[in-house]
């Protein structure tokens, strides 16, 4: 019975996805430190940084600004690159087991305006959190690391940003 269906591995495929997003920071009211913008996904079980797929012809900073606006309703500006992370996960596409390699380009982003409003199709919630609470809520270590990197960059850039001359 060579070639019987019982001994065959299920069909598999691979896919690459490139996304961009960021760590959006703003000063808390009354000068009481910083807040981080987070989104809730997967029925509110996962807290994450806003991010999304790069569209054809877009540069990573453009994607980051667009995706934050679409997912959260918040207008931002890119202040500095924070590097990228890469991870893998498996999904089923029409019964085919697909290994996805996702690369996310993160940016330090400053708040420009708007009120948090989740994108109904993809996001369950969005809100500002004090840094310590944001670090506790984030579901993935690589995103906590991005926040810590953003905080270090924010501290380095603060005098430049205060005069509105800094641009990356």
């Amino acid at each position: 019975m060579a070639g019987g269906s019982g001994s065959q591995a299920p069909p598999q495929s691979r896919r690459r996805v490139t996304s961009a997003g960021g760590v959006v920071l703003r000063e808390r009211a009354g000068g009481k430190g910083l807040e981080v913008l987070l989104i809730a996904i997967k029925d509110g079980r996962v807290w994450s940084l806003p991010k999304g797929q790069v569209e054809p012809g877009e540069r990573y900073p453009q994607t980051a600004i667009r995706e934050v606006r679409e997912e959260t309703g918040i207008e931002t500006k890119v202040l500095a690159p924070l590097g990228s992370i890469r991870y893998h996960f498996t999904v089923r596409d029409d019964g085919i087991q697909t290994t996805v390699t996702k690369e996310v380009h993160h940016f330090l982003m400053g708040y420009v305006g708007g009120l948090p409003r989740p994108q109904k199709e993809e996001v369950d919630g969005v809100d500002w959190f004090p840094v310590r609470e944001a670090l506790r809520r984030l579901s993935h270590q690589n995103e906590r690391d991005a926040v810590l990197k953003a905080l270090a960059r924010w501290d380095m850039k603060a005098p430049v940003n205060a005069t509105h001359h800094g641009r990356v």
Side-chain angles (χ1 to χ4, degrees):
M1 248 172 120
S5 62
S7 63
Q8 286 183 333
Q12 296 184 351
S13 69
R14 295 185 178 278
R15 182 164 34 113
R16 294 182 63 88
V17 175
T18 304
S19 294
V23 180
V24 182
L25 298 177
R26 74 173 183 184
E27 296 283 343
R28 292 177 67 190
K32 296 183 170 141
L34 294 172
E35 293 179 311
V36 182
L37 185 67
L38 300 182
I39 61 169
I41 56 176
K42 298 187 180 180
D43 296 323
R45 294 187 318 272
V46 173
W47 284 91
S48 183
L49 297 171
K51 62 187 166 295
Q53 287 192 37
V54 177
E55 299 290 336
E58 267 185 335
R59 294 189 173 279
Y60 300 148
Q62 293 171 308
T63 301
I65 290 169
R66 177 182 56 77
E67 284 291 339
V68 169
R69 182 186 333 105
E70 287 176 4
E71 290 187 349
T72 71
I74 298 296
E75 294 293 334
T76 61
K77 62 182 175 183
V78 169
L79 301 175
L82 296 173
S84 63
I85 59 173
R86 183 175 291 143
Y87 54 95
H88 310 277
F89 56 93
T90 303
V91 297
R92 285 210 172 273
D93 287 335
D94 297 325
I96 298 172
Q97 185 171 325
T98 302
T99 300
V100 179
T101 299
K102 186 167 189 173
E103 184 173 29
V104 182
H105 297 266
H106 284 122
F107 293 89
L108 167 58
M109 303 175 79
Y111 171 74
V112 173
L115 296 173
R117 174 188 41 77
Q119 179 184 27
K120 290 181 180 147
E121 302 80 27
E122 295 181 24
V123 178
D124 300 311
V126 58
D127 210 345
W128 293 99
F129 295 98
V131 170
R132 285 182 191 264
E133 186 175 347
L135 289 168
R136 275 195 306 271
R137 282 185 184 256
L138 280 167
S139 299
H140 301 290
Q141 183 62 46
N142 57 18
E143 291 193 335
R144 286 190 288 276
D145 293 343
V147 169
L148 294 173
K149 192 183 282 189
L151 293 169
R153 289 301 300 263
W154 180 273
D155 288 342
M156 288 176 11
K157 292 201 146 297
V160 175
N161 290 337
T163 59
H164 300 288
H165 295 305
R167 193 153 158 99
V168 176

